[in-house]
Amino acid sequence: MSDINKPGDSWKHRHGSYPTFKAKAQKTRVLKMKAPFTFDELYCSPLHEERCYELNDNGVGKPQVEEKYVARNIPEVRLTGIQAMDEFVGFLADGRSDIQAFCEERGLKLSDIDSLVFILTGIRGIDFRQRYQVKMMDELLRYTSLSLAEVARRSGLGSAHNLYLTTKREFGEAPAEHRKNLREPGDEGRYR
């Protein structure tokens, strides 16, 4: 028996993973100018109202504390003035994630939206989408009591399985554990 055929001795074992076109195509790009927009300027929170308490004294006894929700004081999402980019941000804010479908609806190529997002933010289009989904997921996990499947749907991740894979990849923990670690006292229901 030849030494080449030893158990555990394969091309992959000797040389690492198989080279692929995809790996070569994802070479890191660096924008060599100041990006006109930051991610945070373009992110639109899915939670638009904030819980507040109001003392209601009707003069006939003990004052009552009422809980109500009012519009959040959050910075206005900055529009870029470029229709394709503003629609892309709205697309993500609606919990949609299929960039291919977005492009097809508008007669664009994936490379078009990728380049546009990169020029405006310095972030690749796919990375911008993933970052958007993770931030939405974090807000929904932290401030709502939505089921994991609903958090996945609203954040654009699609399914509880995808939510699990995303939290494991990004934070090294399951979604329920991540929710527990994110929350501080009074967070649940603070925004809706």
Side-chain angles (χ1 to χ4, degrees), residues 11-75:
W11 189 93
K12 186 175 180 183
H13 176 73
R14 290 187 312 259
H15 302 286
S17 62
Y18 296 101
T20 63
F21 175 75
K22 187 177 181 182
K24 291 178 185 176
Q26 292 183 352
K27 189 166 64 170
T28 303
R29 293 169 62 189
V30 177
L31 189 64
K32 295 185 179 183
M33 59 182 220
K34 184 179 182 320
F37 299 93
T38 66
F39 173 83
D40 290 329
E41 289 174 322
L42 300 178
Y43 176 75
C44 179
S45 174
L47 306 170
H48 302 285
E49 295 180 319
E50 183 174 3
R51 179 179 60 209
C52 70
Y53 298 97
E54 195 173 87
L55 191 60
N56 186 0
D57 186 9
N58 59 9
V60 185
K62 190 174 180 182
Q64 300 278 328
V65 175
E66 289 183 12
E67 178 182 294
K68 65 180 191 171
Y69 283 86
V70 297
R72 270 180 85 180
N73 184 20
I74 51 178

Side-chain angles (χ1 to χ4, degrees), residues 26-139:
Q26 292 183 352
K27 189 166 64 170
T28 303
R29 293 169 62 189
V30 177
L31 189 64
K32 295 185 179 183
M33 59 182 220
K34 184 179 182 320
F37 299 93
T38 66
F39 173 83
D40 290 329
E41 289 174 322
L42 300 178
Y43 176 75
C44 179
S45 174
L47 306 170
H48 302 285
E49 295 180 319
E50 183 174 3
R51 179 179 60 209
C52 70
Y53 298 97
E54 195 173 87
L55 191 60
N56 186 0
D57 186 9
N58 59 9
V60 185
K62 190 174 180 182
Q64 300 278 328
V65 175
E66 289 183 12
E67 178 182 294
K68 65 180 191 171
Y69 283 86
V70 297
R72 270 180 85 180
N73 184 20
I74 51 178
E76 199 63 33
V77 173
R78 191 167 163 201
L79 295 176
T80 64
I82 299 169
Q83 184 177 355
M85 184 64 182
D86 293 340
E87 286 183 16
F88 183 59
V89 170
F91 180 83
L92 296 174
D94 289 342
R96 298 177 65 197
S97 61
D98 187 349
I99 299 176
Q100 182 68 43
F102 173 83
C103 290
E104 286 174 4
E105 290 170 10
R106 289 153 183 85
L108 301 170
K109 294 179 189 173
L110 282 171
S111 60
D112 296 335
I113 198 67
D114 186 60
S115 294
L116 179 62
V117 172
F118 182 72
I119 289 167
L120 294 175
T121 65
I123 304 169
R124 290 181 37 226
I126 190 76
D127 295 334
F128 185 89
R129 184 200 72 188
Q130 288 174 342
R131 189 169 169 188
Y132 206 99
Q133 290 172 321
V134 168
K135 187 158 182 175
M136 280 183 83
M137 173 198 73
D138 273 354
E139 283 192 69

